[in-house]
Amino acid sequence: MAVPFGKSKIYTAIVFEKHSEEPKAYEAKEIYQILDELPIVTEIQLKQWQWISSYYMCSLGDVLRAALPKAFLLESETLVLKNDLFEQEAALTDEEYLIWEALEHQSKLKIQDIIKILDRKGVLSVVNSLLAKEAIEVKEEIYEQYKPKYVKYIQLHADHQTEESLHLLLDGLTRAPKQREIMLCFFQLKQGSNEPVLFKELIKKSNTTSTVVQALVKKGVFELIQIREDRVSFDTEIQPIHDLSVPQKEALDQIKTIFKEKEVCLLHGVTSSGKTEIYSHLISQTLEQGKQVLYLLPEIALTTHIINRLQQFYGDKISVFHSRYSVDERVEVWNNLLTRSDKAQIILGARSSVLLPFSNLGLIIVDEEHETSFKQFEPSPRYHARDTAIMLGFLHKANVLLGSATPSVETFYNAKQSKYGYVKLETRFGNVQLPEMELVDIKEKHRKKRMKGHFSDRLLSLIEEALSEKEQVILFQNRRGYSPVVECSTCGVAPQCPNCDVSLTFHKFNNELKCHYCGHQQALPKTCPACENPTLDSKGFGTEQIELELKELFPDTKVARMDLDTTRGKYGYQKILQSFQDHDIDILVGTQMLTKGLDFKNVSLVGVLNADNLLNFPDFRAHERTYQLMVQVSGRAGRDQKRGKVAIQSFNPYHQILQQVTVHDYPAMYQDQMNERHQFSYPPLVRLVRIVLKHKDFIKVDTAANWMGKSLVNSFGDQVLGPTSPSIGRIRNKYIKSILIKIPSGVALKQSKDQIQRIKDSFLSIPDFRAVQVIVDVDCY
């Protein structure tokens, strides 16, 4: 519905609850307009939103804005109308008269129309002046952003359906050969069918223009009809689902047995063990029960890959929902779910698809459940899609399957505690061996001068060997751009971002410096800004530098790069992955979007160029994430009959985590991490709540953080860490302070969050602190 706020503002709102208690503090206004005949959200959805709001300490409005496609958040537009009672035209200025004259010819004008008439942006003063003179009236009009897609079709007019009338029609077109040719093309496309012919297809087939076809419509030969269609559909020839191997069948049977007792099950299957095939069988069984399926993926790049695989089995039963789709495409998925359309039986999507209006959900699959991209960091609500999916499954009484080759420590801990069911799949599909892992000591290679650029002689020989066998190579470097730092060779000054406390990253393709935090960009200076020395050196390396080095080392080889810079378009991922699938690319360089679930049969070698960046990251999860990334990226190699190879370059090849990666020893990694977390009190043994304070004035945010820190220490004691400045203490011209609260598993989480909320409310009631932005992030890992 639409509700009025203030004198002219109109907002859209959802009826959350009906009651008959009149507000006492203010006079309630009338509802402006009921917008929908049927609800656009479901009751279960509202319960889910309440849980997200309560658990992640955010408002229901934040959840609504994250869940609803923008087209549903209707907007009002100011319309200017002429006041017919006004007669004193002489009192108008030249600009006012131009608007008045335009209203003589048009019943209403938008503000944008007035801007064009006056040829300037600041027009509100003129409109206000006309209002004061009572020459015009102003009203707000609500408009919808969503526009359905209508496709033009051509069919024969009802007067020409008989054989006799058709002969007469064709005889009458003997003097119009082009129109007669269009008629013949029309019958060829119909091929005895009663269905209308696609307008575009007829034009293409007859090699003519739309004007000629429109002429036949005017003559009454054809009828032009418009049919509403979804923007995205997956009509394809359906193939039977592949048979499972013996280990896969055993795993599937175990999952079914667990689902009889528990709602959540962890499938711990090594890379290329065929988890997607098991998912497919579970999806088919759920569809047979007449229920919906949600298939959650961590990366949009993966969505494209999985669509192609599931499309073969389920055709147009699949709908896709993620941020690269347009607003209209997402609205259609939403509406199809509300109407229980056949096109929305399987929803395949990224994080946000967990907020869709499901009505009869039977199965939720969270693939690569360990991925950090399931966690929403900015803006609010800062929810975790995996945990929200488990709650969604509980509300719908649906089964939830978490799948990963490298489960997160929290999920594995819950499985160990028998909170979740647990199934392990230890063999690759077709009994293919896990890849042969090799650690390359680049410290030693540098000493012996066996490095070419950022490549060791060993990695180069492995690449040459793979290319000579007509096989493909994937190279992983978890940093985009050419170089993370550009430094003066004389004084050591590096160009810094003016908005953030971080050095600018050099992108050689555009010859510019970019900030990866706020988006600031500037041309690469020709001389040092401090001492005007012309020699600037680059330090470190990213995917762009690796791509250029490869093109020099292997000039006859096709090299491509896959990172945020090369996949910005809607079909950016799809084009690169399809080229790699079609063997148009020999070596693919990329960031961690390459590590997730991609299946290419011809990849025999995976190279990790620098494992140390990941290991030395200042985070209690650094070692766990390094293990996950290394194992996941190595799993892209040797997925067919031939055993693959993985080369990991490191300055410290004897590091415990890298040794565990080489032998795929997940239990040892888990045990080491649990020992550390017992010692220092980190999840899953405690809950983490991070409070972040931001402001443009450092002194103000520092004072505010100290006040907040002391108040939290009074309530939580030594469970509070901080306030501290993060490694990057200023982003987008705002200084940042962070406070971490550890809540032990035995302490009631709700009471702790209520106490945090009371302290936050007290903080915001202090006038000096009201301008400080306060962010509360629950489960901030």
Side-chain angles (χ1 to χ4, degrees), residues 61-315:
D62 287 337
V63 186
L64 179 145
R65 285 202 163 269
L68 288 179
K70 284 184 181 177
F72 283 139
L73 304 172
L74 306 184
E75 296 177 10
S76 66
E77 188 165 45
T78 304
L79 297 179
V80 175
L81 296 87
K82 186 178 74 168
N83 182 1
D84 293 326
L85 300 175
F86 180 75
E87 294 177 354
Q88 302 171 357
E89 293 181 27
L92 301 179
T93 65
D94 291 345
E95 286 186 330
E96 289 169 355
Y97 187 77
L98 282 172
I99 297 171
W100 174 265
E101 190 179 36
L103 287 168
E104 293 278 1
H105 302 286
Q106 289 177 252
S107 59
K108 57 189 177 184
L109 291 173
K110 297 176 184 176
I111 295 296
Q112 290 297 323
D113 298 332
I114 295 173
I115 288 170
K116 288 177 184 175
I117 291 167
L118 300 183
D119 196 25
R120 68 184 179 97
K121 288 185 178 179
V123 297
L124 292 181
S125 58
V126 184
V127 173
N128 287 333
S129 176
L130 283 166
L131 273 172
K133 294 173 182 177
E134 297 183 349
I136 60 168
E137 295 172 350
V138 171
K139 78 166 189 176
E140 295 287 314
E141 184 181 78
I142 291 174
Y143 65 93
E144 287 195 50
Q145 294 178 353
Y146 169 65
K147 292 178 182 176
K149 179 186 176 185
Y150 288 95
V151 179
K152 291 180 181 178
Y153 284 87
I154 291 289
Q155 68 180 14
L156 206 58
H157 197 278
D159 296 342
H160 305 292
Q161 296 290 345
T162 63
E163 197 173 327
E164 187 180 340
S165 60
L166 272 175
H167 281 300
L168 288 170
L169 176 61
L170 289 168
D171 290 342
L173 293 174
T174 49
R175 293 183 182 179
K178 198 69 186 170
Q179 293 182 0
R180 185 182 171 89
E181 188 183 333
I182 289 170
M183 287 293 299
L184 294 171
C185 289
F186 173 79
F187 289 120
Q188 283 176 10
L189 289 168
K190 271 184 78 74
Q191 293 180 348
S193 167
N194 290 323
E195 297 296 319
V197 170
L198 195 63
F199 187 81
K200 283 184 181 176
E201 203 174 334
L202 181 58
I203 291 169
K204 188 178 177 182
K205 175 82 174 172
S206 57
N207 195 24
T208 186
T209 61
S210 58
T211 313
V212 184
V213 180
Q214 292 282 6
L216 285 167
V217 172
K218 284 179 183 176
K219 279 186 177 181
V221 175
F222 285 145
E223 277 184 314
L224 183 64
I225 57 172
Q226 290 190 323
I227 298 175
R228 183 173 169 175
E229 289 186 1
D230 281 358
R231 286 172 169 82
V232 181
S233 59
F234 301 104
D235 293 327
T236 186
E237 196 174 319
I238 295 175
Q239 300 174 8
I241 296 173
H242 303 146
D243 292 333
L244 298 180
S245 64
V246 174
Q248 286 174 323
K249 280 179 184 172
E250 289 172 358
L252 180 62
D253 292 339
Q254 286 176 46
I255 292 166
K256 286 182 193 174
T257 305
I258 287 167
F259 279 155
K260 290 174 184 175
E261 299 175 5
K262 292 183 169 72
E263 288 184 339
V264 184
C265 178
L266 169 63
L267 174 59
H268 184 181
V270 296
T271 54
S272 193
S273 57
K275 293 187 289 294
T276 309
E277 303 301 329
I278 294 173
Y279 300 157
S280 300
H281 281 262
L282 284 168
I283 289 168
S284 295
Q285 289 165 19
T286 307
L287 295 182
E288 285 169 10
Q289 296 165 12
K291 294 188 175 180
Q292 297 164 324
V293 177
L294 171 60
Y295 194 133
L296 277 175
L297 291 157
E299 190 73 60
I300 297 169
L302 251 183
T303 315
T304 304
H305 196 71
I306 295 292
I307 287 168
N308 294 335
R309 294 176 70 176
L310 295 186
Q311 192 182 337
Q312 301 170 8
F313 309 141
Y314 304 109

Side-chain angles (χ1 to χ4, degrees), residues 423-674:
V423 175
K424 189 162 187 184
L425 190 56
E426 296 183 273
T427 56
R428 282 183 144 194
F429 186 76
N431 291 319
V432 176
Q433 286 182 294
L434 285 165
E436 181 187 339
M437 311 284 281
E438 185 176 335
L439 292 169
V440 181
D441 187 349
I442 50 175
K443 183 179 178 182
E444 185 70 13
K445 297 290 183 185
H446 274 290
R447 190 178 67 81
K448 293 181 178 178
K449 297 183 179 176
R450 292 181 179 171
M451 296 288 291
K452 277 192 181 179
H454 295 96
F455 295 88
S456 62
D457 57 350
R458 178 59 183 155
L459 181 54
L460 285 173
S461 68
L462 288 171
I463 293 172
E464 285 168 2
E465 186 184 323
L467 294 174
S468 66
E469 298 285 333
K470 304 293 182 188
E471 292 164 346
Q472 291 170 293
V473 178
I474 286 177
L475 295 177
F476 169 66
Q477 167 61 11
N478 203 28
R479 192 186 290 276
R480 64 188 172 100
Y482 183 84
S483 170
V485 179
V486 173
E487 187 178 86
C488 174
S489 60
T490 303
C491 67
V493 167
Q496 299 287 307
C497 174
N499 310 316
C500 313
D501 287 344
V502 66
S503 58
L504 294 168
T505 301
F506 177 42
H507 287 249
K508 193 167 187 176
F509 179 75
N510 297 321
N511 204 40
E512 65 183 8
L513 300 170
K514 286 184 184 178
C515 174
H516 290 172
Y517 289 87
C518 70
H520 170 81
Q521 53 191 44
Q522 63 187 55
L524 178 72
K526 292 180 180 178
T527 59
C528 171
C531 68
E532 296 190 352
N533 175 47
T535 311
L536 297 172
D537 295 334
S538 59
K539 304 287 183 184
F541 63 101
T543 50
E544 192 179 334
Q545 189 168 345
I546 295 302
E547 182 190 19
L548 292 171
E549 282 186 14
L550 283 167
K551 285 177 178 176
E552 287 181 14
L553 291 166
F554 303 100
D556 300 326
T557 302
K558 290 171 235 167
V559 181
R561 174 165 51 98
M562 186 172 170
D563 55 27
L564 193 63
D565 297 319
T566 60
T567 57
R568 289 193 185 277
K570 182 176 178 179
Y571 300 106
Y573 295 104
Q574 200 170 335
K575 288 172 183 173
I576 294 171
L577 292 176
Q578 191 59 51
S579 296
F580 197 58
Q581 181 80 49
D582 296 340
H583 300 184
D584 293 334
I585 297 168
D586 298 314
I587 304 175
L588 185 59
V589 183
T591 53
Q592 58 181 295
M593 60 177 67
L594 276 177
T595 67
K596 304 165 189 175
L598 300 176
D599 184 11
F600 298 109
K601 303 292 183 191
N602 199 40
V603 174
S604 65
L605 173 66
V606 167
V608 178
L609 290 156
N610 190 351
D612 305 300
N613 283 350
L614 301 163
L615 282 169
N616 301 327
F617 197 75
D619 183 8
F620 77 95
R621 295 179 176 281
H623 289 179
E624 177 194 351
R625 286 184 179 151
T626 301
Y627 179 89
Q628 289 166 343
L629 269 171
M630 296 293 109
V631 171
Q632 289 287 342
V633 75
S634 68
R636 303 313 111 211
R639 295 176 74 93
D640 207 359
Q641 295 306 311
K642 185 179 175 180
R643 190 181 186 189
K645 290 181 181 177
V646 178
I648 300 173
Q649 295 189 157
S650 172
F651 284 96
N652 184 13
Y654 302 105
H655 194 287
Q656 168 183 310
I657 284 291
L658 297 181
Q659 293 294 324
Q660 288 164 355
V661 167
T662 56
V663 291
H664 294 86
D665 194 352
Y666 179 87
M669 184 279 296
Y670 170 78
Q671 197 55 54
D672 288 346
Q673 291 305 301
M674 285 302 295

